[in-house]
C-alpha cells in the first residue's frame, strides 16, 4: 500500500469514528432578557409577580395613609415587615417570589423602611455567637435588644378565576395586599390588582 492510499484509508476510518457523534441530537441555547415579558404557558409566572408588586407598591407609597403617618410622627418613615402571601388558587404558585418582589419595590421606593423577617433566625444566631462564643471583641459585638420594631404588617392573598369557552381559556388573578398597624391592629391600607390572561391551545384541550 502506497503512502497516499494509507492516508486516504486513515481519513476514512477517522470519519467513521466521528459519524455516530454527528448523528446525535444537537443542543443550542441562548440568554434571554430577564426583563422581557414572556408567556410560556397558562400559569402564573415571574412577570405576573413583578407587575403585581410594582403596581401595588406604587399605590402603597402614594396613598394618604403614608402622608398621615409621617406627619403624625415627625417625618419618620414607617417600618414594614412583609408576611407570606397566601395562595388561594388551584395551581402551584411560588408566593415567596411575590413577597420578594414586594420587598424589592418597598426598598426601592425610598419612602418606607423594611425589616427582613426571613433573616431573623440567622441574625439571632449571629448575635448569640457575638455575645457567648468569646471569639468576638466586646467593642464590635452586637448587643441584644437593639433591633428595630416594625410599625406595619403587610399580608395578602392571591386568587384565580378560570373560564373556558370556545377553545379559549381566560384566567383572572387577583392579588390583594393589606397594611395593618401592629400596635392598634387597624388596617390602614388595602389594594387589589388584577391580571387577566387569555390563552388558545390548538390540537388539545385545557
Amino acid at each position: 500500500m502506497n503512502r497516499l492510499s494509507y492516508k486516504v484509508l486513515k481519513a476514512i476510518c477517522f470519519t467513521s469514528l466521528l459519524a455516530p457523534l454527528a448523528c446525535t441530537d444537537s443542543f443550542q441555547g441562548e440568554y434571554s432578557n430577564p426583563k422581557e415579558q414572556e408567556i410560556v404557558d397558562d400559569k402564573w409566572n415571574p412577570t405576573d409577580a413583578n407587575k403585581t408588586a410594582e403596581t401595588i407598591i406604587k399605590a402603597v407609597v402614594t396613598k394618604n395613609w403614608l402622608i398621615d403617618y409621617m406627619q403624625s410622627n415627625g417625618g419618620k418613615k414607617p417600618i414594614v415587615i412583609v408576611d407570606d402571601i397566601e395562595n388561594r388558587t388551584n395551581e402551584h404558585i411560588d408566593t415567596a417570589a411575590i413577597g420578594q418582589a414586594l420587598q424589592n419595590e418597598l426598598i426601592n421606593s425610598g419612602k418606607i423602611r423594611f425589616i427582613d423577617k426571613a433573616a431573623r433566625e440567622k441574625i439571632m444566631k449571629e448575635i448569640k455567637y457575638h455575645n457567648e462564643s468569646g471569639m468576638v471583641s466586646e467593642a464590635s459585638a452586637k448587643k441584644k435588644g437593639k433591633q428595630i420594631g416594625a410599625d406595619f404588617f403587610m399580608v395578602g392573598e392571591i386568587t384565580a378565576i378560570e373560564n373556558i369557552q370556545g377553545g379559549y381559556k381566560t384566567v383572572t388573578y387577583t392579588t390583594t395586599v393589606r397594611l395593618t398597624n401592629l400596635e392598634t391592629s387597624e388596617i390602614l391600607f388595602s389594594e387589589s390588582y388584577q391580571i387577566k390572561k387569555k390563552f388558545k391551545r390548538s390540537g388539545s384541550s385545557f
Side-chain angles (χ1 to χ4, degrees), residues 157-173:
E157 62 273 345
I158 177 171
T159 61
I161 298 176
E162 296 184 4
N163 183 44
I164 300 175
Q165 187 174 8
Y168 286 90
K169 176 180 179 180
T170 302
V171 184
T172 302
Y173 295 99

Side-chain angles (χ1 to χ4, degrees):
M1 180 181 295
N2 59 38
R3 185 180 297 275
L4 180 60
S5 299
Y6 176 78
K7 287 183 177 181
V8 172
L9 180 61
K10 186 176 180 181
I12 293 173
C13 292
F14 183 73
T15 304
S16 298
L17 290 174
L18 292 180
L21 296 178
C23 296
T24 59
D25 292 337
S26 62
F27 172 79
Q28 287 185 326
E30 62 182 17
Y31 287 104
S32 61
N33 184 353
K35 294 183 179 180
E36 184 178 350
Q37 298 182 9
E38 296 180 319
I39 298 180
V40 296
D41 57 28
D42 57 341
K43 304 298 182 182
W44 175 275
N45 59 50
T47 297
D48 299 331
N50 291 331
K51 288 177 64 177
T52 297
E54 181 180 357
T55 303
I56 287 180
I57 297 307
K58 280 183 179 179
V60 169
V61 299
T62 55
K63 292 298 176 70
N64 290 337
W65 78 273
L66 180 57
I67 297 173
D68 294 341
Y69 177 85
M70 295 182 70
Q71 288 179 346
S72 301
N73 291 272
K76 171 190 171 185
K77 296 179 182 178
I79 302 171
V80 176
I81 187 169
V82 178
D83 196 19
D84 296 333
I85 303 298
E86 184 180 354
N87 179 14
R88 296 184 181 176
T89 73
N90 292 325
E91 67 180 87
H92 172 73
I93 293 179
D94 183 8
T95 54
I98 305 176
Q100 184 61 58
L102 289 169
Q103 292 174 20
N104 292 343
E105 293 296 328
L106 278 175
I107 295 171
N108 293 336
S109 73
K111 296 182 179 181
I112 293 176
R113 299 172 70 187
F114 171 74
I115 290 179
D116 190 353
K117 177 186 175 184
R120 274 179 172 172
E121 187 175 345
K122 293 180 179 179
I123 291 172
M124 288 303 299
K125 287 182 179 179
E126 185 64 18
I127 290 177
K128 184 176 180 180
Y129 175 80
H130 281 207
N131 291 276
E132 299 180 10
S133 68
M135 301 299 292
V136 180
S137 68
E138 185 176 351
S140 64
K142 302 302 178 283
K143 308 300 180 184
K144 296 179 181 179
K146 298 290 185 179
Q147 292 188 26
I148 300 174
D151 300 307
F152 295 94
F153 206 57
M154 177 176 283
V155 297
E157 62 273 345
I158 177 171
T159 61
I161 298 176
E162 296 184 4
N163 183 44
I164 300 175
Q165 187 174 8
Y168 286 90
K169 176 180 179 180
T170 302
V171 184
T172 302
Y173 295 99
T174 303
T175 304
T176 302
V177 167
R178 296 177 298 280
L179 272 177
T180 302
N181 187 309
L182 280 174
E183 193 168 54
T184 66
S185 296
E186 179 183 8
I187 298 176
L188 293 185
F189 171 86
S190 182
E191 182 78 8
S192 293
Y193 177 67
Q194 287 189 335
I195 290 179
K196 188 173 183 178
K197 301 198 290 188
K198 189 175 184 179
F199 308 93
K200 180 176 176 61
R201 180 176 294 173
S202 60
S204 62
S205 59
F206 288 100

